[in-house]
Amino acid sequence: MGVFERIWKRKSDLRNIFSSIYFNFKYLPFKQAVKLPILLYKPHFLALKGKIVIDAPKIKTGMIRLGFRNVSIYPNNGITLELKGEKIIFKGRCSIGNDSYISTGAKGVIEFGDDFRCQAGLKLVSYRGVKFGQTCSVGWGGLIIDTNFHPIYDIVNKKFKKASGRIEIGDYNWFGTQCKVMHSVTTPERCIFGMGTTITRNCEMKPYCVMGGSPVKVLTENVMRDFENDIETYD
């Protein structure tokens, strides 16, 4: 493949190269920034505070891709970043597709485990803390939010009920399309959540299971997603 063919193949990377250069050199040490490990597509910057840390054994160009169009049925509007929090940590590769939003409050910390994946429509809000384990996958239109912003007042005990809390997602979790993860949730490894499931801290959760419904219940046991061999063909 000639040099012009290679450039044409990566033309979507080049379209927003200046935004990517600015973002890398704003947040990363020089030795990391020059490799352009973070590539942005159609970024919308609402706030750029806090820190970004790449804690990975090897830094590669484009190991973190944010906003690129992966799914045609979602708007091709890139990614919106409202970063007011303490930091975002990348433990390795990360791919977040088109029509996605990341918003952090002043004390929000997000940690992406290596090989985080969301093809399109991610809405991620952190005011306390959200941590993803290794190889987590969030389906189209997923919402992960560690606060409901509006605490409810208990008139009997005369105090506000808990309205926020850290979220910790176990290794190899898979959330189907339009799943919602609410505050104070901790999941074990190898969980699969069916389309449209709302996961709260009171849900019954077990590893190596498919869960879904409202309230959440175990649907299938002793199963897992093989992330490297899970694409059905339609030939």
Side-chain angles (χ1 to χ4, degrees):
M1 183 182 295
V3 61
F4 292 108
E5 291 177 338
R6 289 198 297 270
I7 291 173
W8 179 255
K9 186 177 180 180
R10 301 295 296 273
K11 62 183 182 299
S12 60
D13 294 3
L14 297 174
R15 187 174 300 171
N16 295 275
I17 190 64
F18 293 111
S19 296
S20 296
I21 291 171
Y22 168 74
F23 194 82
N24 280 269
F25 279 91
K26 173 179 175 57
Y27 277 112
L28 301 178
F30 182 82
K31 289 184 178 180
Q32 291 185 353
V34 294
K35 296 181 180 181
L36 295 182
I38 304 173
L39 294 180
L40 306 174
Y41 181 75
K42 291 187 176 181
H44 307 277
F45 300 139
L46 302 185
L48 291 178
K49 298 180 180 179
K51 299 179 180 179
I52 289 182
V53 176
I54 300 179
D55 181 13
K58 186 175 291 187
I59 306 298
K60 295 182 179 180
T61 301
M63 62 187 288
I64 300 162
R65 296 170 59 85
L66 307 178
F68 287 81
R69 190 175 192 182
N70 297 320
V71 180
S72 60
I73 65 172
Y74 279 79
N76 185 25
N77 57 7
I79 189 165
T80 298
L81 299 173
E82 183 182 32
L83 308 183
K84 301 177 181 179
E86 291 185 18
K87 69 175 72 172
I88 296 179
I89 304 167
F90 295 96
K91 304 292 284 189
R93 296 165 295 166
C94 177
S95 177
I96 299 174
N98 49 300
D99 193 32
S100 294
Y101 299 77
I102 298 176
S103 176
T104 58
K107 297 182 180 179
V109 177
I110 300 174
E111 179 176 324
F112 293 102
D114 182 32
D115 197 22
F116 177 87
R117 315 171 184 187
C118 181
Q119 292 295 307
L122 176 66
K123 309 298 184 288
L124 175 55
V125 179
S126 175
Y127 277 65
R128 296 298 183 191
V130 179
K131 180 180 180 180
F132 298 94
Q134 162 84 29
T135 312
C136 289
S137 178
V138 179
W140 304 349
L143 171 64
I144 299 171
I145 181 167
D146 65 8
T147 177
N148 63 25
F149 293 106
H150 305 288
I152 297 173
Y153 188 71
D154 184 336
I155 60 176
V156 174
N157 296 307
K158 298 182 179 180
K159 64 179 182 179
F160 285 99
K161 291 183 175 293
K162 188 175 183 180
S164 63
R166 284 180 53 82
I167 295 171
E168 295 196 14
I169 305 300
D171 293 342
Y172 299 97
N173 274 211
W174 176 21
F175 298 89
T177 298
Q178 295 182 348
C179 281
K180 299 177 180 66
V181 183
M182 310 309 291
H183 74 79
S184 306
V185 163
T186 298
T187 69
E189 66 172 330
R190 299 283 185 181
C191 289
I192 301 173
F193 296 96
M195 177 187 293
T197 302
T198 298
I199 303 103
T200 68
R201 63 185 181 278
N202 298 319
C203 291
E204 177 189 358
M205 289 178 278
K206 296 171 62 177
Y208 295 94
C209 289
V210 176
M211 286 159 283
S214 180
V216 174
K217 61 182 179 180
V218 175
L219 304 177
T220 307
E221 297 189 58
N222 302 315
V223 293
M224 57 173 276
R225 177 180 177 182
D226 182 347
F227 282 83
E228 303 305 322
N229 300 284
D230 68 340
I231 302 300
E232 185 172 10
T233 59
Y234 299 93
D235 297 335

